[in-house]
Amino acid sequence: MTYVEPIAHQVRLADGTIPSAHAVQERRLSDLRGLFLDLEAEAALVAHDPLIYRVYDAADLPKEDGHLLFSTTVIEPGRVGDEYFMTKGHFHARADRAELYYGLSGQGMLLLQTPDGRVESLPMVAGTAAYVPPYWGHRTVNTGDAPFVFLACYPADAGYDYGTIARDGFAGIVVAGADGPRVVPNPRFRAATRASTSA
Ligand code: M6P
Ligand code: ZN
């Protein structure tokens, strides 16, 4: 038996960064092309290609059943048209794997979706522990005017399915309304799938 060594990483509460992170992924608007509803607003903004979020992956652990991975995500404040900056969103490649999010700073929304298109949303602030049950796709959105930061912990063999959301979109989107953020149906949800099945 070979034992993996116990580890501890410091999460800087001031900005959500993990200085000792094994990897930092940066997602700019061009990495999320086609995911926002307002394609004109997206095209105008993509010229400057703003940073949308960073993910700090704490440790390089075996991607095997039994291990847990943990990371922080820092989503910048901003909007594309009326829609708030957000993550790409994914289902787990092993769809029965769950995940836990813990809000560290700022304010946001966790959007969840079943494979048949039912949407739920959970507001998140510092101190919110939000559970992503097995089979639910998930995306986070920054609904505030400061960075939205949260810690995520998930089974190391969960993996990522980005393709389903890239193809179908998310059934709900979060837009700025007169009274604050609102979750509304995405008129483009499954538009490509519908077009190809009705052809
Ligand atoms: C959280 C976790 C990560 C994920 C990140 C960004 O930190 O769920 O696994 O990578 O959010 O989300 P996405 O992968 O959808 O861009
Ligand atoms: Zn996940």
Side-chain angles (χ1 to χ4, degrees):
M1 174 81 174
T2 314
Y3 294 104
V4 170
E5 292 303 306
I7 42 164
H9 287 266
Q10 206 62 31
V11 175
R12 284 186 48 178
L13 291 177
D15 59 10
T17 61
I18 301 180
S20 58
H22 145 71
V24 183
Q25 302 166 57
E26 197 169 270
R27 303 275 197 218
R28 296 191 167 270
L29 183 57
S30 56
D31 300 310
L32 279 79
R33 223 183 274 262
L35 293 182
F36 290 97
L37 181 63
D38 186 338
L39 296 175
E40 269 177 40
E42 183 193 277
L45 266 181
V46 92
H48 309 286
D49 206 11
L51 173 69
I52 309 289
Y53 61 101
R54 286 197 178 98
V55 179
Y56 297 83
D57 282 317
D60 186 18
L61 291 162
K63 308 289 181 290
E64 291 166 8
D65 182 23
H67 285 281
L68 294 171
L69 301 179
F70 57 110
S71 56
T72 55
T73 301
V74 180
I75 310 178
E76 297 298 317
R79 290 195 332 230
V80 178
D82 290 335
E83 204 176 350
Y84 296 100
F85 282 7
M86 63 191 184
T87 59
K88 289 172 83 163
H90 60 269
F91 287 86
H92 290 151
R94 296 196 65 157
D96 62 349
R97 295 320 199 225
E99 185 157 1
L100 186 76
Y101 285 173
Y102 185 70
L104 296 176
S105 64
Q107 65 182 64
M109 194 90 87
L110 169 59
L111 273 182
L112 303 116
Q113 176 182 311
T114 56
D116 54 6
R118 182 156 72 85
V119 170
E120 290 292 334
S121 58
L122 299 172
M124 287 185 66
V125 293
T128 306
Y131 179 55
V132 179
Y135 301 107
W136 288 75
H138 39 290
R139 162 181 283 168
T140 41
V141 181
N142 184 347
T143 54
D145 45 24
F148 170 47
V149 184
F150 63 94
L151 178 83
C153 183
Y154 51 101
D157 63 350
Y160 295 92
D161 162 17
Y162 288 111
T164 302
I165 289 166
R167 185 192 63 218
D168 296 346
F170 223 90
I173 58 174
V174 190
V175 295
D179 303 320
R182 288 191 306 141
V183 181
V184 297
N186 177 1
R188 281 219 317 269
F189 178 59
R190 285 189 177 152
T193 315
R194 281 199 297 268
S196 65
T197 50
S198 64

